[in-house]
Amino acid sequence: MEGFGGATSIYDALNMSLDSLKGDTAHRPLVILFSDGYENSSKIQDIKGVVAKAKAMNVPVFTIAFGGGADEQLLKGIANETNGLFFLIYD
């Protein structure tokens, strides 16, 4: 698949997903974060700030680590801190 692999922007993706939920009062928001890698290309470098944003918005983040190359520790931490759940899927 052309253009696949190499960059993982977990912090930016999570921040953008939280921004997309602002103003939606009709639904109980949540985020599902699926990753097969380690954070290595986000412009935002403060995951604690992004997690604090999710907590302030009362948005649980459910994280899914795909395969052995995922940063399980980071994904578990995000899920735990935001009252979400962590899942591990092997390929």
Side-chain angles (χ1 to χ4, degrees):
M1 191 175 348
E2 189 175 332
F4 177 76
T8 301
S9 300
I10 294 172
Y11 307 166
D12 287 348
L14 180 54
N15 189 59
M16 289 173 65
S17 63
L18 293 169
D19 286 345
S20 74
L21 296 172
K22 287 182 180 176
D24 184 357
T25 58
H27 302 93
R28 169 91 162 97
L30 64 89
V31 171
I32 299 173
L33 194 158
F34 185 96
S35 179
D36 67 347
Y38 280 75
E39 166 59 51
N40 64 10
S41 62
S42 287
K43 292 178 182 173
I44 294 173
Q45 293 299 309
D46 179 23
I47 189 58
K48 290 181 181 180
V50 178
V51 167
K53 181 178 184 175
K55 290 168 69 171
M57 293 174 64
N58 197 29
V59 175
V61 180
F62 295 81
T63 59
I64 302 169
F66 178 73
D71 188 346
E72 293 179 37
Q73 184 176 0
L74 172 67
L75 297 177
K76 284 178 188 176
I78 292 169
N80 288 338
E81 287 292 319
T82 62
N83 293 315
L85 295 171
F86 167 79
F87 298 93
L88 176 60
I89 300 172
Y90 291 101
D91 52 351

